[in-house]
Amino acid sequence: MEKFIVKGKTALSGSVKISGSKNSAVALLPASVMTSETVCLENLPDITDVRTMIEILENLGVSIRRRGRDSLELTPGSISKIAPSYELVKKMRASYYFMGSLLARFGRAEVPIPGGCDLGPRPIDQHLKGFTALGADINIEHGMIKLTAQKLTGARVYLDVVSIGATINLMLAAAAAEGRTILENVAKEPEIVDLSNFLNAMGASVRGAGTDVIRIDGVKKFKGAVHTVIPDRIEAGTFMMAAAATRGRVTVEDVIPKHLEAITAKIREIGAKVEVDPEKITVDGTAPLVSSDLKTFPYPGFPTDLQPPGMVLLTAAEGLSVITENVFDGRYNHVNELKRMGARIKVEGRTALIEGGMPLTGAPVAAPDLRSGAALIIAALTADGESQISAVDHVDRGYDNFEGKLTGLGASIYRTADESYDRQSGKVD
Ligand code: EPU
């Protein structure tokens, strides 16, 4: 296990290039098994979740060739298994996308139930309801979800809750179902549109991604394709929050500003200046920051993944702010750690009250999950003195070279061994 040592009171300054989207990459990689031809994915982020996904694919029998730092060529013609390895799958929740993609290609899939959970309950009832509607039989035995379908048939599925995971899994299965599927009340995130573009490049017929109704006409065969992963809007948003919270000036480059509108608007409301150019956004946090209310919602609302960094920003803003977490029940794991740094935060159910403007002080803290880890690092950059952030493997799962990029913006952050921290097992994001 490793930890970060961060020196505080650093105003970030400069430009940072944003990597490819984690949440797109972890859907596109499992989708690649739907063809037996060669697929090329470009702009993949170099993060642990992508490496784990690559291991799962290799273990299934996919032949993989690296093309430069961020591109891969995958040839799934020789897949020999329909059951991804439990040891690998338990490391990341998104491995459940193999339910949809293996079912589409082979009519069978055996995938372990996604493991422990840091964000409160994360049921998969909507995924299973949709697979059943498409004609799959589902048996849950010994911790495995076993799906079989003689034939997948198009159906109309209305999601009871807007779920990114269920939308993706059902798009994958429906792409190979006979006839038309209508998915209603689906997620509208840019990652859904990215997957739709990739599936269509492989020969699928998916229409309406990015709206709340997706129409899919199933096809029998998928072909090889070349696809570039969209920029990571959550990574970009994290740096934008960090720029404002540290009272610095940072340009995030290689972004799609449209994907960042809710974040841009909120940062402006808090008092930072934001300049938007076609492929870059500059945040200037040198003016006084004022309190604000922040409510998380599915896209195009303010993303739940940026609620922890958003809380740190509100800690730096003068006055009382209110956060309402509407997407996950238990996404306040960072609060106790922030309190150790002197933050004044009170949580009541889904609401957090933040008394901002109190200076934070450096402290030893532990990253409870991916986005909380990023938030604690931002808090450490704003704090007086040095902080130690343990359990950095959470951060490595989703941020490509986070400390390198922060160092490039003038931060003092380095990684060192951490013998003292005994990580709880089975936590995934
Ligand atoms: N839900 C159900 N039933 C289901 C599925 C979801 O009740 O069958 C509920 C969840 O409990 C939650 C809400 O619906 O309250 C939304 O969950 P969703 O399925 O959209 O989340 P997810 O697909 O599990 C993805 C991201 C998360 C991100 C959430 C919300 C990936 C791999 N993960 O999770 O990303 O927080 O959407 O935007 O795309 C992260 O990157 O740090 C991360 C956790």
Side-chain angles (χ1 to χ4, degrees), residues 255-304:
V255 298
I256 299 176
K258 173 88 190 139
H259 296 170
L260 291 156
E261 280 174 347
I263 298 137
T264 298
K266 189 51 67 181
I267 292 178
R268 280 188 177 138
E269 209 176 287
I270 296 172
K273 287 202 186 90
V274 187
E275 256 171 61
V276 180
D277 291 302
E279 285 181 8
K280 60 183 185 183
I281 297 181
T282 302
V283 175
D284 183 333
T286 49
L289 302 178
V290 294
S291 62
S292 175
D293 292 345
L294 189 162
K295 295 180 170 64
T296 67
F297 280 108
Y299 189 86
F302 188 92
T304 171

Short mmCIF file of all heavy atoms in Angstrom, two decimals, residues 255-304:
data_model
loop_
_atom_site.label_atom_id
_atom_site.label_comp_id
_atom_site.label_asym_id
_atom_site.label_seq_id
_atom_site.Cartn_x
_atom_site.Cartn_y
_atom_site.Cartn_z
N VAL A 255 -10.77 18.88 -23.72
CA VAL A 255 -12.06 18.54 -23.12
C VAL A 255 -13.19 18.86 -24.10
O VAL A 255 -12.98 19.57 -25.09
CB VAL A 255 -12.30 19.30 -21.79
CG1 VAL A 255 -11.26 18.93 -20.77
CG2 VAL A 255 -12.34 20.82 -22.01
N ILE A 256 -14.38 18.37 -23.80
CA ILE A 256 -15.57 18.77 -24.55
C ILE A 256 -16.39 19.65 -23.60
O ILE A 256 -17.04 19.14 -22.68
CB ILE A 256 -16.38 17.53 -25.02
CG1 ILE A 256 -15.51 16.67 -25.95
CG2 ILE A 256 -17.67 17.96 -25.72
CD1 ILE A 256 -16.15 15.36 -26.41
N PRO A 257 -16.32 20.98 -23.76
CA PRO A 257 -16.94 21.89 -22.79
C PRO A 257 -18.43 21.63 -22.57
O PRO A 257 -18.94 21.81 -21.47
CB PRO A 257 -16.68 23.28 -23.39
CG PRO A 257 -15.42 23.11 -24.16
CD PRO A 257 -15.50 21.73 -24.75
N LYS A 258 -19.13 21.15 -23.60
CA LYS A 258 -20.56 20.85 -23.48
C LYS A 258 -20.80 19.84 -22.33
O LYS A 258 -21.79 19.92 -21.62
CB LYS A 258 -21.03 20.28 -24.83
CG LYS A 258 -22.42 19.78 -24.87
CD LYS A 258 -23.40 20.88 -25.23
CE LYS A 258 -24.83 20.44 -25.04
NZ LYS A 258 -25.69 21.43 -24.46
N HIS A 259 -19.87 18.88 -22.19
CA HIS A 259 -20.03 17.85 -21.15
C HIS A 259 -19.83 18.42 -19.75
O HIS A 259 -20.08 17.74 -18.76
CB HIS A 259 -19.00 16.71 -21.34
CG HIS A 259 -19.20 15.95 -22.61
ND1 HIS A 259 -18.28 15.03 -23.08
CD2 HIS A 259 -20.22 15.97 -23.51
CE1 HIS A 259 -18.72 14.51 -24.22
NE2 HIS A 259 -19.89 15.07 -24.50
N LEU A 260 -19.30 19.66 -19.67
CA LEU A 260 -18.90 20.22 -18.38
C LEU A 260 -19.77 21.41 -17.98
O LEU A 260 -19.40 22.17 -17.08
CB LEU A 260 -17.42 20.63 -18.46
CG LEU A 260 -16.46 19.43 -18.55
CD1 LEU A 260 -15.15 19.82 -19.20
CD2 LEU A 260 -16.21 18.85 -17.17
N GLU A 261 -20.93 21.56 -18.64
CA GLU A 261 -21.73 22.78 -18.42
C GLU A 261 -22.21 22.93 -16.98
O GLU A 261 -22.16 24.01 -16.40
CB GLU A 261 -22.92 22.81 -19.38
CG GLU A 261 -22.50 23.30 -20.77
CD GLU A 261 -23.61 23.22 -21.80
OE1 GLU A 261 -24.65 22.58 -21.54
OE2 GLU A 261 -23.42 23.81 -22.88
N ALA A 262 -22.66 21.83 -16.36
CA ALA A 262 -23.18 21.92 -14.99
C ALA A 262 -22.05 22.33 -14.03
O ALA A 262 -22.26 23.06 -13.06
CB ALA A 262 -23.78 20.58 -14.55
N ILE A 263 -20.85 21.86 -14.33
CA ILE A 263 -19.70 22.14 -13.46
C ILE A 263 -19.25 23.59 -13.64
O ILE A 263 -19.01 24.32 -12.68
CB ILE A 263 -18.57 21.14 -13.78
CG1 ILE A 263 -19.08 19.72 -13.48
CG2 ILE A 263 -17.29 21.43 -13.01
CD1 ILE A 263 -18.73 18.72 -14.50
N THR A 264 -19.17 24.01 -14.90
CA THR A 264 -18.81 25.39 -15.22
C THR A 264 -19.77 26.36 -14.52
O THR A 264 -19.35 27.32 -13.87
CB THR A 264 -18.87 25.58 -16.75
OG1 THR A 264 -17.92 24.69 -17.32
CG2 THR A 264 -18.55 26.98 -17.17
N ALA A 265 -21.07 26.07 -14.63
CA ALA A 265 -22.08 26.96 -14.04
C ALA A 265 -21.92 27.01 -12.52
O ALA A 265 -21.97 28.09 -11.91
CB ALA A 265 -23.48 26.47 -14.40
N LYS A 266 -21.69 25.88 -11.89
CA LYS A 266 -21.59 25.85 -10.42
C LYS A 266 -20.33 26.59 -9.95
O LYS A 266 -20.36 27.35 -8.99
CB LYS A 266 -21.61 24.39 -9.94
CG LYS A 266 -21.74 24.19 -8.45
CD LYS A 266 -22.88 24.95 -7.81
CE LYS A 266 -24.24 24.47 -8.24
NZ LYS A 266 -25.34 25.25 -7.60
N ILE A 267 -19.23 26.38 -10.66
CA ILE A 267 -17.98 27.04 -10.26
C ILE A 267 -18.13 28.56 -10.39
O ILE A 267 -17.68 29.32 -9.53
CB ILE A 267 -16.78 26.50 -11.07
CG1 ILE A 267 -16.52 25.04 -10.68
CG2 ILE A 267 -15.52 27.33 -10.84
CD1 ILE A 267 -15.39 24.39 -11.43
N ARG A 268 -18.80 28.99 -11.45
CA ARG A 268 -19.04 30.44 -11.63
C ARG A 268 -19.89 30.97 -10.48
O ARG A 268 -19.63 32.03 -9.94
CB ARG A 268 -19.76 30.70 -12.95
CG ARG A 268 -18.81 30.69 -14.14
CD ARG A 268 -19.54 31.16 -15.40
NE ARG A 268 -18.61 31.21 -16.52
CZ ARG A 268 -18.89 30.81 -17.74
NH1 ARG A 268 -20.07 30.31 -18.03
NH2 ARG A 268 -17.98 30.91 -18.70
N GLU A 269 -20.93 30.20 -10.12
CA GLU A 269 -21.84 30.62 -9.05
C GLU A 269 -21.06 30.80 -7.73
O GLU A 269 -21.38 31.66 -6.93
CB GLU A 269 -22.87 29.50 -8.88
CG GLU A 269 -24.21 29.91 -8.39
CD GLU A 269 -25.13 28.69 -8.39
OE1 GLU A 269 -25.56 28.25 -9.48
OE2 GLU A 269 -25.41 28.17 -7.29
N ILE A 270 -20.02 29.97 -7.55
CA ILE A 270 -19.23 30.03 -6.32
C ILE A 270 -18.23 31.21 -6.37
O ILE A 270 -17.62 31.54 -5.37
CB ILE A 270 -18.57 28.65 -6.06
CG1 ILE A 270 -19.68 27.60 -5.83
CG2 ILE A 270 -17.60 28.66 -4.88
CD1 ILE A 270 -19.21 26.17 -5.76
N GLY A 271 -18.08 31.82 -7.53
CA GLY A 271 -17.29 33.05 -7.57
C GLY A 271 -16.02 32.98 -8.39
O GLY A 271 -15.35 34.00 -8.60
N ALA A 272 -15.66 31.77 -8.91
CA ALA A 272 -14.46 31.70 -9.75
C ALA A 272 -14.82 32.13 -11.16
O ALA A 272 -15.97 32.03 -11.58
CB ALA A 272 -13.91 30.28 -9.76
N LYS A 273 -13.81 32.62 -11.88
CA LYS A 273 -14.05 33.00 -13.29
C LYS A 273 -13.80 31.77 -14.16
O LYS A 273 -12.82 31.05 -13.93
CB LYS A 273 -13.07 34.10 -13.70
CG LYS A 273 -13.39 35.43 -13.10
CD LYS A 273 -12.74 36.53 -13.97
CE LYS A 273 -12.92 37.87 -13.30
NZ LYS A 273 -11.82 38.21 -12.40
N VAL A 274 -14.64 31.55 -15.15
CA VAL A 274 -14.44 30.41 -16.04
C VAL A 274 -14.50 30.89 -17.48
O VAL A 274 -15.46 31.54 -17.88
CB VAL A 274 -15.51 29.31 -15.82
CG1 VAL A 274 -15.17 28.07 -16.64
CG2 VAL A 274 -15.65 28.94 -14.35
N GLU A 275 -13.44 30.60 -18.23
CA GLU A 275 -13.38 30.97 -19.65
C GLU A 275 -13.51 29.69 -20.46
O GLU A 275 -12.75 28.74 -20.25
CB GLU A 275 -11.97 31.49 -19.96
CG GLU A 275 -11.82 32.98 -20.12
CD GLU A 275 -10.33 33.28 -20.18
OE1 GLU A 275 -9.64 32.78 -21.11
OE2 GLU A 275 -9.88 33.97 -19.26
N VAL A 276 -14.45 29.66 -21.38
CA VAL A 276 -14.68 28.44 -22.15
C VAL A 276 -14.24 28.65 -23.60
O VAL A 276 -14.70 29.58 -24.26
CB VAL A 276 -16.17 28.04 -22.10
CG1 VAL A 276 -16.43 26.77 -22.90
CG2 VAL A 276 -16.62 27.84 -20.65
N ASP A 277 -13.33 27.81 -24.08
CA ASP A 277 -12.89 27.81 -25.47
C ASP A 277 -13.34 26.50 -26.12
O ASP A 277 -13.84 25.62 -25.40
CB ASP A 277 -11.36 27.94 -25.52
CG ASP A 277 -10.92 29.32 -25.07
OD1 ASP A 277 -11.37 30.30 -25.69
OD2 ASP A 277 -10.18 29.42 -24.08
N PRO A 278 -13.16 26.35 -27.44
CA PRO A 278 -13.70 25.13 -28.07
C PRO A 278 -13.23 23.82 -27.43
O PRO A 278 -14.01 22.91 -27.26
CB PRO A 278 -13.24 25.25 -29.52
CG PRO A 278 -13.15 26.73 -29.74
CD PRO A 278 -12.69 27.33 -28.44
N GLU A 279 -11.95 23.69 -27.07
CA GLU A 279 -11.50 22.41 -26.50
C GLU A 279 -10.79 22.57 -25.17
O GLU A 279 -10.04 21.68 -24.73
CB GLU A 279 -10.58 21.69 -27.50
CG GLU A 279 -11.37 21.10 -28.63
CD GLU A 279 -10.53 20.36 -29.64
OE1 GLU A 279 -9.32 20.16 -29.40
OE2 GLU A 279 -11.09 19.98 -30.67
N LYS A 280 -10.96 23.74 -24.55
CA LYS A 280 -10.31 23.93 -23.25
C LYS A 280 -11.13 24.87 -22.37
O LYS A 280 -11.91 25.69 -22.90
CB LYS A 280 -8.87 24.40 -23.41
CG LYS A 280 -8.72 25.70 -24.13
CD LYS A 280 -7.24 26.03 -24.29
CE LYS A 280 -7.12 27.41 -24.92
NZ LYS A 280 -5.77 27.82 -25.19
N ILE A 281 -10.92 24.76 -21.08
CA ILE A 281 -11.63 25.62 -20.13
C ILE A 281 -10.61 26.12 -19.10
O ILE A 281 -9.81 25.32 -18.58
CB ILE A 281 -12.75 24.84 -19.39
CG1 ILE A 281 -13.81 24.36 -20.39
CG2 ILE A 281 -13.39 25.68 -18.30
CD1 ILE A 281 -14.97 23.61 -19.77
N THR A 282 -10.64 27.43 -18.82
CA THR A 282 -9.73 27.98 -17.81
C THR A 282 -10.54 28.42 -16.60
O THR A 282 -11.53 29.13 -16.73
CB THR A 282 -8.95 29.18 -18.39
OG1 THR A 282 -8.24 28.71 -19.54
CG2 THR A 282 -7.96 29.76 -17.38
N VAL A 283 -10.10 27.98 -15.43
CA VAL A 283 -10.75 28.37 -14.17
C VAL A 283 -9.79 29.25 -13.39
O VAL A 283 -8.64 28.87 -13.16
CB VAL A 283 -11.12 27.13 -13.33
CG1 VAL A 283 -11.70 27.55 -11.98
CG2 VAL A 283 -12.12 26.26 -14.08
N ASP A 284 -10.28 30.42 -13.00
CA ASP A 284 -9.47 31.35 -12.22
C ASP A 284 -10.16 31.56 -10.88
O ASP A 284 -11.25 32.14 -10.82
CB ASP A 284 -9.36 32.67 -13.01
CG ASP A 284 -8.46 33.67 -12.30
OD1 ASP A 284 -8.35 33.59 -11.06
OD2 ASP A 284 -7.90 34.54 -12.98
N GLY A 285 -9.53 31.07 -9.83
CA GLY A 285 -10.16 31.10 -8.50
C GLY A 285 -9.61 32.18 -7.59
O GLY A 285 -9.69 32.05 -6.37
N THR A 286 -9.06 33.23 -8.20
CA THR A 286 -8.40 34.23 -7.35
C THR A 286 -9.37 35.24 -6.72
O THR A 286 -9.02 35.91 -5.76
CB THR A 286 -7.29 34.98 -8.15
OG1 THR A 286 -7.85 35.41 -9.39
CG2 THR A 286 -6.11 34.08 -8.44
N ALA A 287 -10.58 35.34 -7.27
CA ALA A 287 -11.58 36.26 -6.66
C ALA A 287 -12.20 35.57 -5.43
O ALA A 287 -12.08 34.36 -5.28
CB ALA A 287 -12.65 36.58 -7.70
N PRO A 288 -12.88 36.35 -4.54
CA PRO A 288 -13.47 35.72 -3.35
C PRO A 288 -14.50 34.65 -3.73
O PRO A 288 -15.25 34.81 -4.69
CB PRO A 288 -14.16 36.90 -2.64
CG PRO A 288 -13.52 38.12 -3.19
CD PRO A 288 -13.06 37.80 -4.57
N LEU A 289 -14.52 33.56 -2.96
CA LEU A 289 -15.47 32.47 -3.22
C LEU A 289 -16.64 32.60 -2.25
O LEU A 289 -16.45 32.91 -1.07
CB LEU A 289 -14.79 31.11 -3.02
CG LEU A 289 -13.56 30.84 -3.89
CD1 LEU A 289 -12.95 29.47 -3.55
CD2 LEU A 289 -13.92 30.90 -5.38
N VAL A 290 -17.85 32.37 -2.77
CA VAL A 290 -19.04 32.51 -1.92
C VAL A 290 -19.80 31.19 -1.84
O VAL A 290 -19.72 30.36 -2.74
CB VAL A 290 -19.99 33.62 -2.45
CG1 VAL A 290 -19.35 34.97 -2.35
CG2 VAL A 290 -20.39 33.34 -3.90
N SER A 291 -20.55 31.03 -0.75
CA SER A 291 -21.27 29.77 -0.52
C SER A 291 -22.33 29.55 -1.61
O SER A 291 -22.75 30.50 -2.29
CB SER A 291 -21.93 29.80 0.84
OG SER A 291 -22.87 30.86 0.87
N SER A 292 -22.73 28.31 -1.76
CA SER A 292 -23.72 27.97 -2.77
C SER A 292 -24.37 26.65 -2.38
O SER A 292 -23.87 25.94 -1.51
CB SER A 292 -23.02 27.83 -4.12
OG SER A 292 -23.93 27.40 -5.09
N ASP A 293 -25.47 26.32 -3.03
CA ASP A 293 -26.08 25.02 -2.81
C ASP A 293 -25.76 24.13 -4.00
O ASP A 293 -25.69 24.60 -5.13
CB ASP A 293 -27.59 25.15 -2.62
CG ASP A 293 -27.90 25.87 -1.32
OD1 ASP A 293 -26.97 25.99 -0.49
OD2 ASP A 293 -29.04 26.32 -1.15
N LEU A 294 -25.57 22.85 -3.73
CA LEU A 294 -25.17 21.93 -4.80
C LEU A 294 -26.04 20.67 -4.68
O LEU A 294 -26.11 20.07 -3.62
CB LEU A 294 -23.69 21.62 -4.57
CG LEU A 294 -22.87 20.87 -5.60
CD1 LEU A 294 -21.39 21.10 -5.32
CD2 LEU A 294 -23.18 19.41 -5.60
N LYS A 295 -26.69 20.33 -5.77
CA LYS A 295 -27.55 19.13 -5.79
C LYS A 295 -27.05 18.20 -6.89
O LYS A 295 -26.92 18.65 -8.03
CB LYS A 295 -29.00 19.52 -6.07
CG LYS A 295 -29.66 20.37 -5.00
CD LYS A 295 -31.10 20.68 -5.40
CE LYS A 295 -31.90 21.31 -4.29
NZ LYS A 295 -31.44 22.62 -3.84
N THR A 296 -26.82 16.94 -6.57
CA THR A 296 -26.37 16.01 -7.60
C THR A 296 -27.56 15.39 -8.32
O THR A 296 -28.59 15.11 -7.69
CB THR A 296 -25.50 14.88 -7.02
OG1 THR A 296 -26.31 14.06 -6.18
CG2 THR A 296 -24.33 15.43 -6.23
N PHE A 297 -27.41 15.19 -9.62
CA PHE A 297 -28.46 14.57 -10.44
C PHE A 297 -27.79 13.84 -11.60
O PHE A 297 -26.65 14.15 -11.96
CB PHE A 297 -29.39 15.65 -11.02
CG PHE A 297 -30.43 16.11 -10.02
CD1 PHE A 297 -30.33 17.38 -9.45
CD2 PHE A 297 -31.47 15.28 -9.65
CE1 PHE A 297 -31.27 17.80 -8.51
CE2 PHE A 297 -32.42 15.72 -8.72
CZ PHE A 297 -32.32 16.97 -8.15
N PRO A 298 -28.51 12.90 -12.23
CA PRO A 298 -27.97 12.32 -13.46
C PRO A 298 -27.73 13.43 -14.49
O PRO A 298 -28.33 14.51 -14.40
CB PRO A 298 -29.08 11.38 -13.93
CG PRO A 298 -29.90 11.07 -12.72
CD PRO A 298 -29.81 12.31 -11.85
N TYR A 299 -26.87 13.16 -15.47
CA TYR A 299 -26.57 14.10 -16.54
C TYR A 299 -27.85 14.57 -17.22
O TYR A 299 -28.72 13.75 -17.46
CB TYR A 299 -25.66 13.41 -17.57
CG TYR A 299 -25.09 14.32 -18.62
CD1 TYR A 299 -23.92 15.02 -18.37
CD2 TYR A 299 -25.72 14.48 -19.84
CE1 TYR A 299 -23.39 15.86 -19.35
CE2 TYR A 299 -25.19 15.32 -20.82
CZ TYR A 299 -24.02 16.01 -20.55
OH TYR A 299 -23.48 16.84 -21.50
N PRO A 300 -28.00 15.85 -17.52
CA PRO A 300 -27.00 16.92 -17.49
C PRO A 300 -26.90 17.66 -16.16
O PRO A 300 -26.38 18.78 -16.12
CB PRO A 300 -27.48 17.86 -18.59
CG PRO A 300 -28.97 17.71 -18.59
CD PRO A 300 -29.26 16.30 -18.20
N GLY A 301 -27.38 17.06 -15.06
CA GLY A 301 -27.23 17.70 -13.75
C GLY A 301 -25.80 17.63 -13.25
O GLY A 301 -24.92 17.08 -13.92
N PHE A 302 -25.58 18.15 -12.06
CA PHE A 302 -24.23 18.14 -11.47
C PHE A 302 -23.90 16.69 -11.08
O PHE A 302 -24.64 16.05 -10.34
CB PHE A 302 -24.18 19.06 -10.25
CG PHE A 302 -22.79 19.24 -9.71
CD1 PHE A 302 -22.00 20.29 -10.14
CD2 PHE A 302 -22.27 18.33 -8.80
CE1 PHE A 302 -20.70 20.44 -9.66
CE2 PHE A 302 -20.98 18.48 -8.32
CZ PHE A 302 -20.19 19.54 -8.75
N PRO A 303 -22.76 16.14 -11.55
CA PRO A 303 -22.50 14.71 -11.34
C PRO A 303 -22.15 14.35 -9.88
O PRO A 303 -21.39 15.07 -9.24
CB PRO A 303 -21.29 14.43 -12.23
CG PRO A 303 -20.69 15.74 -12.56
CD PRO A 303 -21.74 16.80 -12.37
N THR A 304 -22.71 13.25 -9.43
CA THR A 304 -22.41 12.77 -8.07
C THR A 304 -20.90 12.52 -7.88
O THR A 304 -20.38 12.69 -6.80
CB THR A 304 -23.22 11.48 -7.76
OG1 THR A 304 -22.75 10.94 -6.53
CG2 THR A 304 -23.08 10.43 -8.84
#
